[in-house]
Amino acid sequence: ITLSDIQDNVNVLIVCSTWGDGEQPDNAIDLYDSVEGSDDGSMAGVGFAVLALGDTAFDLFCEAGIQWDNILQQKGGNRINERIDCDVDYEAQATEWRKQALEKVKETLVTTDAEVVQLPVGHGQLIEATVSYLQQTQEKESNPQFLARTDNPT
């Protein structure tokens, strides 16, 4: 996923674990750096929601997710659901957040002919990739929504 992939979409849901001393996971570093280095207002028109994963045993609990939430807002993104910070026992909280976030995504869609589809993820990974398909019309082109998965697979 690239910076332009995010900019070209109406909504993005970020699920991000924290590694080391409050660091982005390896597979998120380049994308995060691209967003951070982008122009002010580069996320204008992009709705976002962040689920942060961490462990309260560490000082910088959920820091990487907090950084995503902050940078997307600073760059002009529109928060569509509140960030949630999840400890190691995250399943119930994450399930509720996912339901709320998907409802918010549905509310932002420009047509009632939209469908939200949950795609399965591998063993040990959190949140399903979310893709919304808008019915193509002469006035509106399809506009897929996606989840930027930034958690390291286990």
Side-chain angles (χ1 to χ4, degrees):
I1 295 174
T2 66
L3 173 63
S4 62
D5 290 331
I6 294 175
Q7 293 169 321
D8 291 344
N9 283 272
V10 176
N11 295 300
V12 60
L13 304 179
I14 304 285
V15 177
C16 188
S17 55
T18 299
W19 291 89
D21 192 25
E23 300 162 5
Q24 295 291 324
D26 289 343
N27 61 351
I29 292 171
D30 290 342
L31 181 58
Y32 181 83
D33 289 346
S34 293
V35 173
E36 186 177 44
S38 67
D39 295 335
D40 289 343
S42 62
M43 293 294 120
V46 176
F48 72 91
V50 176
L51 187 151
L53 297 170
D55 185 336
T56 54
F58 293 92
D59 291 336
L60 297 173
F61 173 63
C62 291
E63 182 64 23
I66 292 168
Q67 291 171 1
W68 271 107
D69 191 63
N70 289 338
I71 199 67
L72 289 169
Q73 183 177 24
Q74 289 171 7
K75 298 297 181 174
N78 177 43
R79 183 179 290 107
I80 61 170
N81 198 39
E82 291 302 313
R83 185 190 76 241
I84 186 170
D85 299 337
C86 295
D87 202 357
V88 293
D89 226 3
Y90 59 80
E91 289 85 1
Q93 279 184 298
T95 298
E96 184 60 30
W97 178 90
R98 184 188 70 229
K99 289 177 186 175
Q100 291 173 358
L102 292 177
E103 283 303 313
K104 299 291 184 171
V105 166
K106 285 181 187 179
E107 291 172 11
T108 67
L109 300 176
V110 295
T111 179
T112 59
D113 296 325
E115 177 185 3
V116 175
V117 179
Q118 291 182 195
L119 303 175
V121 294
H123 174 73
Q125 298 170 348
L126 183 60
I127 304 302
E128 299 82 21
T130 303
V131 181
S132 295
Y133 297 97
L134 300 179
Q135 181 181 28
Q136 255 190 10
T137 65
Q138 290 181 349
E139 297 85 34
K140 298 178 180 85
E141 295 188 8
S142 74
N143 204 351
Q145 315 299 305
F146 67 94
L147 169 70
R149 285 200 48 255
T150 60
D151 58 322
N152 275 344
T154 56

